[in-house]
Amino acid sequence: MALQSKDLLGIQSLSEGELRVILDTAANFATVAARPVKKVPALRGRTVANLFYEPSTRTRISFELAAKRLSADFINITAATSSAATGETLTDTAKTVEAMQVDFLVVRHSMAGAAHQLARQVQCSVINAGDGPHEHPTQTLVDLFTIWEHKKRFEGLGVAILGDHPRSPVTISNIYGLKKMGAEVTLVGPSTLMPPGIEQFGVRVATRVEDGIAGADVILLSRVEITDANRLQIPSLREYARFYCLTPRRLALAAEDALVLHSGSMNRGVEISPEVADYAFPLMVQQVTNGIAARMAVLYLLAGERE
Ligand code: CP
C-alpha cells in the first residue's frame, strides 16, 4: 500500500517512504500540466468536496483544479455560503455532504484538530487543508516538492524558517516533513515567537536573523501580520521588519543558490522586502503551480488506498 491511512491529516503521521511516494507521484502529475489536454481519467466517477471555513486562494483553487484534472466531480462549499452560516456544526455539515456520496472532504478550519475529528466521524477520505496553527500537510508537500525539483536532495540541506511560528499554518508541518527527509532546520525569529519546547522537534533556534540564515540552502517564509492573537508578541510590524525582514543584504548571507519560498500571501516590507519579493517571485509562482501536482498526487494515492 502506498499510504497507510484513508485520510491525510498531517505530516506527523506520514513515514519518509510515504512522503517519497507522494513526491514521486507529484512529479508524474506535473507532466500532465504541460500537455495540451491537462486531464487524466484516474478519478472518473469520484467526487471531491472542498469544505472551507477560512479564506484561501492557493489551497482551495489548487484542490479544485487537481480534482478536475483527475476527472473527478467537484463541489466547493464555504462557511459563508452554506448552512454553517446558520450555526450548523462542522460535523453535521460534513455528514450532510458525505450523504451525497462524496469520496473526499478537503477541510480548512481554524480549529486545530478539526480534520482529525471529522476523519473519525465520516467514512470518506478527509484531507486537512490547514487546521489553524496545527498542520497544513499539503502546503508542506508543495514546499518539499519545489525544494526537491531544485536541489535534488534533502539530506543535510540547511533550511531556515521565518514567520509567526505559533500561528503559522505550516511551520509545524514543514518541521515534520523536512526532518523526516533529513534536512537541518533552523527556526528564526524573536524569542516571543518561538513555541515553547520547539527544540524537542530537533530544530535549531536562532533569534538573530543573521545567525539563522547564514549559509542556508532554503529560506521558507510565511506571512507576518498583527492580529488580536499575537499583539503582545509582536510590538510593531516596523520593529519586526527592522530585525527580521529578508532584505537583499540578509539574503546575501545565505548560500549563493539559496531558494526563497513563501507559503501564502506576502506582506511586502514586513517578512520580505519588495526587492527580495520581486527576485523570488518566479519561484513562488512555480510553488503555486506545483500545488496542483502535489494535490493530484494526494487525491490519487488516497483513492488507491480506498480500493
Ligand atoms: N498556502 C496557503 O495555504 O495559501 P491559501 O491560504 O491561499 O490557501
Side-chain angles (χ1 to χ4, degrees), residues 52 54-62 108 129-130 136 138-139 143 169-170 262-265 287 295:
F52 276 53
E54 284 195 314
S56 164
T57 299
R58 293 152 194 79
T59 316
R60 186 175 56 80
I61 295 173
S62 61
R108 157 87 52 110
H136 191 350
T138 59
Q139 180 61 48
D143 294 346
V170 78
H262 198 297
S263 61
S265 57
Q287 217 182 340
R295 289 167 177 122

Side-chain angles (χ1 to χ4, degrees), residues 175 179 185-187 198-205:
I175 292 173
K179 294 295 297 176
V185 179
T186 303
L187 226 55
I198 195 68
E199 292 90 344
Q200 288 162 24
F201 284 65
V203 301
R204 191 167 76 93
V205 165

Side-chain angles (χ1 to χ4, degrees), residues 3 6-8 11 14 19 21-33 40 42-43 46-50 52 55-72 74 104-108 125-131 135-146 169-170 173-174 262-265 284-304:
L3 301 181
K6 78 172 176 70
D7 311 297
L8 177 68
I11 299 292
L14 294 178
L19 285 172
V21 168
I22 296 171
L23 297 183
D24 286 347
T25 309
N28 285 330
F29 281 128
T31 64
V32 173
V40 290
L43 259 64
R46 308 292 181 98
T47 304
V48 179
N50 267 357
F52 276 53
S56 164
T57 299
R58 293 152 194 79
T59 316
R60 186 175 56 80
I61 295 173
S62 61
F63 262 113
E64 178 164 356
L65 278 173
K68 288 177 174 173
R69 288 186 185 175
L70 290 165
S71 304
F74 178 83
F104 299 90
L105 269 179
V106 181
V107 182
R108 157 87 52 110
S125 288
V126 175
I127 299 173
N128 183 0
D131 58 341
E135 282 231 42
H136 191 350
T138 59
Q139 180 61 48
T140 290
L141 294 170
V142 174
D143 294 346
L144 292 178
F145 182 56
T146 307
V170 78
S173 291
N174 275 344
H262 198 297
S263 61
S265 57
M284 294 175 195
V285 170
Q286 194 183 340
Q287 217 182 340
V288 173
T289 304
N290 287 343
I292 301 171
R295 289 167 177 122
M296 286 172 83
V298 167
L299 291 168
Y300 174 78
L301 291 168
L302 288 177

Side-chain angles (χ1 to χ4, degrees), residues 156-163 165 184-190 194 203-221 240 243-246 249-255 258-259:
L157 210 62
V159 183
I161 305 180
L162 287 89
H165 302 305
E184 306 288 337
V185 179
T186 303
L187 226 55
V188 185
M194 289 300 160
V203 301
R204 191 167 76 93
V205 165
T207 51
R208 277 188 77 242
V209 68
E210 290 78 9
D211 297 338
I213 63 179
D217 300 296
V218 180
I219 300 173
L220 295 180
L221 300 167
Y240 180 88
F243 290 104
Y244 294 99
C245 180
L246 187 62
R249 186 176 59 78
R250 288 175 176 150
L251 179 57
L253 300 171
L259 305 179

